[in-house]
Amino acid sequence: MAEQSELEKKILVVGGGRMGSAILNGWLQQGMTPSSIYLIDRGLETLEGFKDKGVHTFQNVEEVPAGITFDVFLLALKPQVIIQQVTEFNRLISDSTCLVSVAAGIMVATLKQMLPNAKNVVRVMPNTPAMIGKGVMVGYSDKQAEFVKLIEGLFSTLGRFFWIADEQQMHAVTAISGSGPAYLFYFAQCFVESAKTLGLDENLAQELALETVIGAANLIEQSDDDVEILRKNVTSPNGTTQAGLEALMADSILKQLMEACCQQAAKRSVELS
Ligand SMILES: NC(=O)c1ccc[n+]([C@@H]2O[C@H](COP(=O)([O-])OP(=O)(O)OC[C@H]3O[C@@H](n4cnc5c(N)ncnc54)[C@H](OP(=O)(O)O)[C@@H]3O)[C@@H](O)[C@H]2O)c1
């Protein structure tokens, strides 16, 4: 858990979209003082929502008063937007600011090049369950030791946090935990569709398929057994589960699809770097 000191740092968030909002809402839920947060986003609706919560909001960099020293600058813009526009935020960074980028692909060296005021740069790959404190996040910095406490304090309020020592591994991390929730949402969507195909009405199909996904995920979390054992434990010989799994596991098609899916995501991360 974050100590009170981490929750009172002066924090600038640039980009209040899906990920920026998820992190910000997570921090607010964990008791961060809203008036210590400054948010820049183009969307008026987003800004209004956070303004109502007590966050300082700005539509562009020019509106931010000069002379504020930020402890943390959370960069949550799309990678393409960062490449084109991030230099305009350089003036908001001081020697003591820790720049935290959650952008896929963009390397620490590139960030330092685009934002020359940034002496302290950390990359964090979060995922959207962070908004309910169930995220899994990975950090990398070329001088990690100085920021371990600050970054772990801030991000461990949003879920599990791990460090990696090799920045190249961020591509794999992005493909697995960063993009992963979407794969599982798609799996859940296909599961609901299959339930409807078997004749269940829309509501019941949703309830049964989604509660099964949620229950199974909770069981993974709470059980000491690994996922293979959990699967084997519910597969009676010649039973219904075995019949279903035989179709699902035939020719390792799903395994190959998952490999292709993760490889494509990692490849895209490399392309963005
Ligand atoms: N979404 C995820 O699950 C996820 C997971 C891990 C990491 N990430 C990383 O998080 C970053 C943000 O992704 P996202 O999904 O949150 O994107 P997003 O929803 O598009 O959020 C970006 C926000 O920044 C705003 N914006 C764009 N240009 C701006 C500017 N010059 N000044 C101020 N605000 C500006 C956008 O406004 P407009 O909508 O008006 O353009 C939008 O509200 C990406 O780098 C991504 O790699 C995302």
Side-chain angles (χ1 to χ4, degrees):
M1 280 310 263
E3 289 176 15
Q4 202 52 31
S5 57
E6 265 95 46
L7 296 174
E8 284 169 0
K9 295 281 181 197
K10 202 159 269 188
I11 297 188
L12 173 68
V13 178
V14 176
R18 276 164 296 227
M19 188 42 72
S21 290
I23 294 174
L24 238 169
N25 281 322
W27 281 338
L28 289 171
Q29 265 173 29
Q30 294 300 320
M32 191 179 275
T33 314
S35 60
S36 65
I37 305 174
Y38 295 70
L39 169 67
I40 308 179
D41 191 274
R42 291 197 298 213
L44 280 176
E45 216 172 297
T46 303
L47 293 179
E48 280 302 312
F50 283 106
K51 196 174 177 184
D52 289 347
K53 294 177 182 171
V55 170
H56 301 274
T57 55
F58 309 94
Q59 219 179 352
N60 57 59
V61 66
E62 284 80 31
E63 290 179 5
V64 182
I68 305 173
T69 303
F70 295 105
D71 298 295
V72 174
F73 177 134
L74 180 78
L75 181 60
L77 296 173
K78 288 272 185 211
Q80 298 85 339
V81 177
I82 293 177
I83 300 291
Q84 285 162 13
Q85 298 175 23
V86 84
T87 50
E88 68 191 62
F89 299 100
N90 192 48
R91 78 161 177 86
L92 300 175
I93 301 171
S94 67
D95 281 1
S96 59
T97 307
C98 181
L99 173 73
V100 181
S101 166
V102 296
I106 303 187
M107 312 289 276
V108 166
T110 312
L111 290 161
K112 284 185 170 172
Q113 222 169 23
M114 293 186 296
L115 294 164
N117 284 355
K119 304 287 178 272
N120 316 306
V121 181
V122 178
R123 284 181 64 191
V124 171
M125 181 47 59
N127 62 11
T128 47
M131 80 176 87
I132 54 158
K134 286 279 183 185
V136 55
M137 286 142 293
V138 176
Y140 167 80
S141 170
D142 52 355
K143 46 179 180 177
Q144 183 180 318
E146 293 178 37
F147 303 103
V148 166
K149 197 165 162 283
L150 173 66
I151 298 304
E152 282 180 6
L154 282 174
F155 285 93
S156 59
T157 61
L158 309 176
R160 303 281 309 277
F161 188 87
F162 302 90
W163 286 104
I164 49 168
D166 175 4
E167 190 173 11
Q168 287 303 322
Q169 287 197 329
M170 265 300 181
H171 300 304
V173 166
T174 304
I176 302 300
S177 53
S179 302
Y183 314 154
L184 294 166
F185 297 145
Y186 183 61
F187 174 85
Q189 184 189 338
C190 293
F191 200 20
V192 172
E193 289 305 320
S194 306
K196 287 198 284 188
T197 308
L198 281 179
L200 298 179
D201 70 39
E202 173 93 36
N203 270 350
L204 193 57
Q206 288 261 356
E207 294 285 355
L208 293 191
L210 299 187
E211 287 301 326
T212 300
V213 171
I214 294 164
N218 279 314
L219 193 54
I220 292 173
E221 190 178 35
Q222 287 176 33
S223 170
D224 292 331
D225 293 328
D226 68 28
V227 284
E228 187 175 3
I229 299 290
L230 287 173
R231 168 172 59 79
K232 286 182 174 163
N233 283 350
V234 291
T235 312
S236 321
N238 274 329
T240 55
T241 310
Q242 183 178 343
L245 281 172
E246 274 170 10
L248 193 65
M249 296 170 80
D251 303 323
S252 299
I253 291 171
L254 183 60
K255 193 163 173 269
Q256 288 170 36
L257 268 179
M258 281 313 295
E259 279 171 13
C261 160
C262 296
Q263 268 164 17
Q264 286 302 317
K267 183 166 162 258
R268 183 67 188 132
S269 173
V270 173
E271 284 166 6
L272 290 168
S273 65

